[in-house]
Amino acid sequence: MESIKFKIPKSLRKIIFADLKRSHEYAYERVGFILTRLCESNNDKLILAYDYCAVADEDYIDDENVGARINSNAIRKAMQVAHTQKCGVFHVHLHMHLGKPTESFSDEEGIQPMMASVSRVNLHEDFGYLILSNDSAICKIYSEKKEEFFEPDIYTEIGYPMNLVFAKQVKNKKFSERQKRQTFLGENSNNVFEKINIGIIGYGGGGSHIGQQLAHIGFKNIYVFDDDSFEESNINRLVGAKYSDVKNKTKKTKIAQRSINDILPTANVIKIQKRWQEEPEELHKCDVVVGCVDSFIERQQLEAETRRYLIPLIDIGMDIYKVMDSFSISGQIILSLPGSFCMKCCGFITEDKLAAEAKKYGDIGGNPQVVWSNGVLASNAVGIMVDLILGWSVLEDRRVYLSYDGTRSLLKEHSRLIATPNDCEHFLLSEIGPPRLMEI
Ligand SMILES: [Zn+2]
Ligand SMILES: [Zn+2]
């Protein structure tokens, strides 16, 4: 099914908001232009916002009849940027109220023809406009074919919590018996459960708990990535597996589908029986991804890919190691949110760790794992994910790097988090979307 999504990091939204709120000598309001990249695969479209161009003070026209009128110079500059950066451009202005904005008559009369004509400068990208309110937004994309503007299926602001605006709301759907026990998740939860895609990378000790819980909560679209078949060594921790799966060498994605559909028959489980790297287009469709992978190199690759497509990634992992004569269990939960710190920024992935891992290459994968620690980490990752998407806790701009001491059963904020800056230098917004060839 064709789907169109527009994504913008909250960090960029904040910059835009601050710029547009500045007063102007004679214009009543300000406008600006958001730069976007279009990623297409099959019938799916992702429009990713990565930068912002303010309109220069002198490019406003003194006109008392409208809030803001800009001259042809400002429009020419926007077209120039679309041409040189090979990007899409979205006009943006503010409506200072709460809730989803609606266009005024002058918005439609003024902005729509302007953006339709700007769109001709680059036929490979999408153009349109955004109106931001204090807590929501409306996004309209221009369809060249139909010569009209339409809303993306989902408009997403990436931050904690995420802000999701759906073109079509699930109508008058009452809370099901399942949801009556979790009404605190809010009215929007029905839309979210129906329309959001959750990815699980690795359906083992951690991933299987995630799948099971997503089904209990009511998430309808779950993408499961795993190229492995079930074997006896997995039976100590993969929840939902049966002993017969050993003999049958059942694919782990099949176990995922079976467990999830046993709980939620209407769930749409998309099985990717490959490594995600072989089917990255499927990963790009996910709105949030939970990474349950074994190695640092896997984490690094997954983080790089999710950042490129503005996908929040929740990483979980654990280790059991020998200390003197006893054993110790430790683990972590990290939220890698585009526009915020990454796993390198917080010191979890380091060059030393990557080098040490590369040295003993082939050794990994047989690490000891236990069901109870996997369960603690996975359960908390699900809790964080639900809050990230639905914002039930009202925690704003939360940063997540939790360390798990499985020996003492403690889960607490990692001591390094406080000193971790939010500005990530490893993944730049300007590099989002598929890698591009540089022109010389
Ligand atoms: Zn307006
Ligand atoms: Zn970083």
Side-chain angles (χ1 to χ4, degrees), residues 203-213 215-216 230 234-246 248 250-263 371:
Y203 205 82
S208 59
H209 281 275
I210 305 271
Q212 193 185 47
Q213 294 192 22
H216 280 295
F230 190 73
N234 306 132
I235 201 106
N236 81 318
R237 63 186 186 279
L238 200 150
V239 298
K242 299 175 184 173
Y243 200 78
S244 57
D245 290 324
V246 179
N248 298 334
T250 316
K251 288 277 184 195
K252 288 183 182 172
T253 49
K254 194 106 196 263
I255 298 176
Q257 186 175 45
R258 188 181 67 205
S259 326
I260 292 166
N261 283 147
D262 275 351
I263 301 163
V371 69

Coordinates of all heavy atoms in Angstrom, one line a residue, residues 203-213 215-216 230 234-246 248 250-263 371:
Y203 N 15.3 -11.5 16.6 CA 14.3 -12.0 17.4 C 14.8 -13.2 18.2 O 14.6 -14.4 18.0 CB 13.1 -12.5 16.5 CG 11.8 -12.6 17.2 CD1 11.0 -11.4 17.4 CD2 11.3 -13.8 17.8 CE1 9.8 -11.4 18.0 CE2 10.1 -13.8 18.5 CZ 9.4 -12.6 18.6 OH 8.1 -12.6 19.3
G204 N 15.6 -12.8 19.2 CA 16.2 -13.7 20.2 C 15.7 -13.5 21.6 O 14.5 -13.2 21.8
G205 N 16.6 -13.6 22.5 CA 16.3 -13.4 23.9 C 15.6 -12.1 24.2 O 14.6 -12.0 24.9
G206 N 16.1 -11.0 23.6 CA 15.5 -9.7 23.8 C 14.3 -9.4 22.9 O 13.2 -9.1 23.4
G207 N 14.5 -9.7 21.6 CA 13.5 -9.4 20.6 C 12.2 -10.1 20.9 O 11.1 -9.6 20.6
S208 N 12.2 -11.3 21.4 CA 11.0 -12.1 21.6 C 10.1 -11.5 22.7 O 8.9 -11.5 22.6 CB 11.4 -13.6 21.9 OG 12.1 -13.7 23.0
H209 N 10.8 -11.0 23.7 CA 10.0 -10.3 24.7 C 9.3 -9.1 24.1 O 8.2 -8.7 24.5 CB 10.9 -9.8 25.9 CG 11.2 -10.9 26.8 ND1 10.4 -11.3 27.9 CD2 12.3 -11.7 26.9 CE1 11.0 -12.2 28.6 NE2 12.2 -12.5 28.0
I210 N 10.0 -8.4 23.3 CA 9.5 -7.1 22.7 C 8.3 -7.5 21.8 O 7.2 -6.9 22.0 CB 10.6 -6.5 21.7 CG1 11.9 -6.2 22.5 CG2 10.0 -5.2 21.1 CD1 12.0 -4.9 23.2
G211 N 8.4 -8.5 21.0 CA 7.3 -8.9 20.1 C 6.1 -9.3 20.9 O 4.9 -8.8 20.6
Q212 N 6.3 -10.1 21.9 CA 5.2 -10.5 22.8 C 4.4 -9.3 23.4 O 3.2 -9.2 23.4 CB 5.8 -11.4 23.9 CG 4.8 -12.2 24.6 CD 5.5 -12.9 25.8 OE1 6.3 -12.3 26.5 NE2 5.2 -14.2 25.9
Q213 N 5.2 -8.4 23.9 CA 4.6 -7.2 24.6 C 3.9 -6.3 23.6 O 2.9 -5.7 23.9 CB 5.7 -6.5 25.4 CG 6.2 -7.4 26.6 CD 7.0 -6.6 27.6 OE1 6.9 -5.4 27.7 NE2 7.8 -7.3 28.3
A215 N 2.4 -7.1 21.0 CA 1.1 -7.7 20.7 C 0.1 -7.5 21.9 O -1.1 -7.2 21.6 CB 1.3 -9.2 20.5
H216 N 0.6 -7.6 23.1 CA -0.3 -7.4 24.2 C -0.8 -6.0 24.3 O -2.0 -5.7 24.5 CB 0.4 -7.7 25.6 CG 0.5 -9.2 25.9 ND1 -0.6 -9.9 26.1 CD2 1.5 -10.0 26.0 CE1 -0.3 -11.2 26.4 NE2 1.0 -11.3 26.3
F230 N 15.6 -21.5 14.7 CA 15.6 -21.8 16.1 C 16.5 -23.0 16.3 O 16.4 -24.0 15.6 CB 14.2 -22.0 16.6 CG 14.1 -22.1 18.1 CD1 14.2 -21.0 18.9 CD2 13.9 -23.4 18.7 CE1 14.1 -21.1 20.2 CE2 13.8 -23.5 20.1 CZ 13.9 -22.3 20.8
N234 N 18.7 -21.9 22.0 CA 17.9 -20.7 22.1 C 16.8 -20.9 23.2 O 16.1 -20.0 23.6 CB 17.2 -20.3 20.8 CG 18.2 -20.1 19.7 OD1 18.0 -20.6 18.6 ND2 19.3 -19.3 19.9
I235 N 16.6 -22.2 23.5 CA 15.4 -22.5 24.3 C 15.4 -21.9 25.7 O 14.4 -21.7 26.4 CB 15.1 -24.0 24.4 CG1 13.6 -24.3 24.7 CG2 16.0 -24.7 25.4 CD1 12.8 -24.8 23.5
N236 N 16.6 -21.5 26.2 CA 16.7 -20.9 27.5 C 16.2 -19.5 27.6 O 16.1 -18.9 28.7 CB 18.1 -21.0 28.0 CG 19.0 -19.8 27.5 OD1 18.9 -19.5 26.3 ND2 19.8 -19.3 28.3
R237 N 15.8 -18.9 26.5 CA 15.5 -17.4 26.6 C 14.5 -16.9 25.5 O 14.0 -15.8 25.7 CB 16.7 -16.6 26.5 CG 17.5 -16.7 25.2 CD 18.8 -16.0 25.2 NE 19.5 -16.0 23.9 CZ 20.2 -17.0 23.5 NH1 20.3 -18.1 24.2 NH2 20.8 -16.9 22.3
L238 N 14.2 -17.7 24.5 CA 13.4 -17.1 23.4 C 11.9 -17.4 23.8 O 11.4 -18.5 23.6 CB 13.7 -17.6 22.0 CG 13.3 -16.8 20.8 CD1 14.2 -17.0 19.7 CD2 11.9 -17.2 20.4
V239 N 11.2 -16.3 24.3 CA 9.8 -16.6 24.7 C 8.9 -16.8 23.5 O 9.1 -16.1 22.5 CB 9.3 -15.4 25.7 CG1 10.1 -15.4 26.9 CG2 9.3 -14.1 25.0
G240 N 8.0 -17.7 23.7 CA 7.1 -18.0 22.6 C 7.5 -19.2 21.8 O 6.8 -19.7 20.9
A241 N 8.8 -19.6 22.0 CA 9.2 -20.8 21.3 C 8.7 -22.1 22.0 O 8.4 -22.1 23.1 CB 10.8 -20.8 21.3
K242 N 8.6 -23.1 21.1 CA 8.2 -24.4 21.7 C 9.3 -25.4 21.5 O 10.2 -25.2 20.6 CB 7.0 -25.0 20.9 CG 5.8 -24.1 21.0 CD 4.7 -24.6 20.0 CE 3.5 -23.7 20.0 NZ 2.5 -24.1 19.0
Y243 N 9.3 -26.5 22.2 CA 10.4 -27.5 22.1 C 10.4 -28.0 20.6 O 11.5 -28.3 20.1 CB 10.3 -28.6 23.1 CG 11.7 -29.2 23.2 CD1 12.7 -28.6 23.9 CD2 12.0 -30.4 22.5 CE1 14.0 -29.1 24.0 CE2 13.2 -31.0 22.6 CZ 14.2 -30.3 23.3 OH 15.5 -30.8 23.3
S244 N 9.2 -28.2 20.0 CA 9.1 -28.7 18.7 C 9.9 -27.8 17.7 O 10.2 -28.3 16.6 CB 7.7 -28.9 18.3 OG 7.0 -27.7 18.4
D245 N 10.1 -26.6 18.0 CA 10.8 -25.7 17.1 C 12.2 -26.1 16.9 O 12.8 -25.7 15.9 CB 10.7 -24.2 17.6 CG 9.3 -23.6 17.5 OD1 8.6 -24.0 16.5 OD2 8.9 -22.9 18.4
V246 N 12.8 -26.8 17.9 CA 14.2 -27.3 17.7 C 14.2 -28.3 16.6 O 15.0 -28.1 15.7 CB 14.6 -28.0 19.0 CG1 16.1 -28.5 18.9 CG2 14.6 -27.0 20.2
N248 N 12.0 -28.8 14.3 CA 11.5 -28.2 13.0 C 12.4 -27.2 12.5 O 12.2 -26.6 11.4 CB 10.1 -27.7 13.2 CG 9.1 -28.7 13.6 OD1 9.3 -29.9 13.2 ND2 8.1 -28.3 14.2
T250 N 12.5 -24.1 13.1 CA 11.6 -23.1 12.8 C 12.3 -21.7 12.6 O 13.2 -21.4 13.5 CB 10.5 -22.9 13.9 OG1 10.0 -24.2 14.2 CG2 9.3 -22.0 13.4
K251 N 12.0 -21.0 11.6 CA 12.6 -19.7 11.4 C 12.2 -18.8 12.6 O 11.0 -18.9 13.0 CB 12.2 -19.0 10.1 CG 12.8 -19.7 8.9 CD 14.1 -19.1 8.6 CE 14.7 -19.6 7.3 NZ 16.2 -19.3 7.3
K252 N 13.1 -18.0 13.1 CA 12.7 -17.2 14.3 C 11.6 -16.2 13.9 O 10.8 -15.8 14.7 CB 13.9 -16.5 14.8 CG 14.9 -17.4 15.5 CD 16.1 -16.7 16.1 CE 17.0 -17.6 16.8 NZ 18.3 -17.0 17.2
T253 N 11.6 -15.7 12.7 CA 10.6 -14.8 12.3 C 9.2 -15.5 12.3 O 8.2 -14.8 12.5 CB 10.8 -14.2 10.8 OG1 11.1 -15.3 10.0 CG2 12.0 -13.3 10.8
K254 N 9.2 -16.8 12.0 CA 8.0 -17.5 12.0 C 7.4 -17.7 13.5 O 6.2 -17.6 13.7 CB 8.3 -18.9 11.5 CG 7.1 -19.8 11.1 CD 6.9 -19.8 9.6 CE 5.5 -20.3 9.3 NZ 5.4 -21.7 9.0
I255 N 8.4 -17.9 14.4 CA 8.0 -17.9 15.8 C 7.4 -16.6 16.2 O 6.4 -16.5 17.0 CB 9.2 -18.3 16.7 CG1 9.8 -19.7 16.3 CG2 8.9 -18.2 18.2 CD1 11.0 -20.1 17.1
A256 N 8.0 -15.5 15.7 CA 7.5 -14.2 16.0 C 6.1 -14.0 15.6 O 5.2 -13.6 16.3 CB 8.4 -13.1 15.3
Q257 N 5.9 -14.4 14.3 CA 4.5 -14.3 13.8 C 3.5 -15.1 14.6 O 2.4 -14.6 14.9 CB 4.5 -14.7 12.3 CG 3.2 -14.5 11.6 CD 3.3 -14.8 10.2 OE1 3.8 -15.9 9.8 NE2 2.8 -14.0 9.3
R258 N 3.9 -16.3 14.9 CA 3.0 -17.2 15.6 C 2.7 -16.6 17.0 O 1.5 -16.5 17.4 CB 3.7 -18.5 15.8 CG 2.8 -19.6 16.4 CD 3.6 -20.9 16.5 NE 4.7 -20.8 17.5 CZ 5.8 -21.6 17.5 NH1 6.0 -22.5 16.5 NH2 6.7 -21.4 18.4
S259 N 3.7 -16.2 17.7 CA 3.5 -15.6 19.1 C 2.6 -14.4 19.1 O 1.8 -14.2 19.9 CB 4.8 -15.3 19.8 OG 5.8 -16.1 19.5
I260 N 3.0 -13.5 18.1 CA 2.3 -12.2 18.1 C 0.8 -12.4 17.7 O -0.1 -11.9 18.3 CB 3.0 -11.2 17.1 CG1 4.3 -10.8 17.7 CG2 2.1 -10.0 16.8 CD1 5.3 -10.1 16.7
N261 N 0.6 -13.2 16.6 CA -0.8 -13.5 16.2 C -1.6 -14.3 17.1 O -2.8 -14.2 17.1 CB -0.8 -14.1 14.8 CG -0.5 -13.1 13.7 OD1 0.1 -13.4 12.7 ND2 -0.9 -11.8 13.9
D262 N -1.0 -15.1 18.0 CA -1.7 -15.8 19.0 C -2.3 -14.9 20.0 O -3.4 -15.1 20.5 CB -0.8 -16.8 19.8 CG -0.6 -18.1 19.1 OD1 -1.3 -18.4 18.1 OD2 0.3 -18.9 19.5
I263 N -1.7 -13.8 20.2 CA -2.2 -12.8 21.2 C -3.0 -11.7 20.5 O -4.1 -11.3 21.0 CB -1.0 -12.0 21.8 CG1 -0.1 -13.0 22.6 CG2 -1.5 -10.9 22.8 CD1 1.3 -12.5 22.9
V371 N 17.1 -15.5 30.4 CA 15.8 -15.0 30.1 C 15.4 -13.8 31.0 O 14.7 -12.9 30.5 CB 14.8 -16.1 30.1 CG1 14.6 -16.7 31.5 CG2 13.4 -15.7 29.5

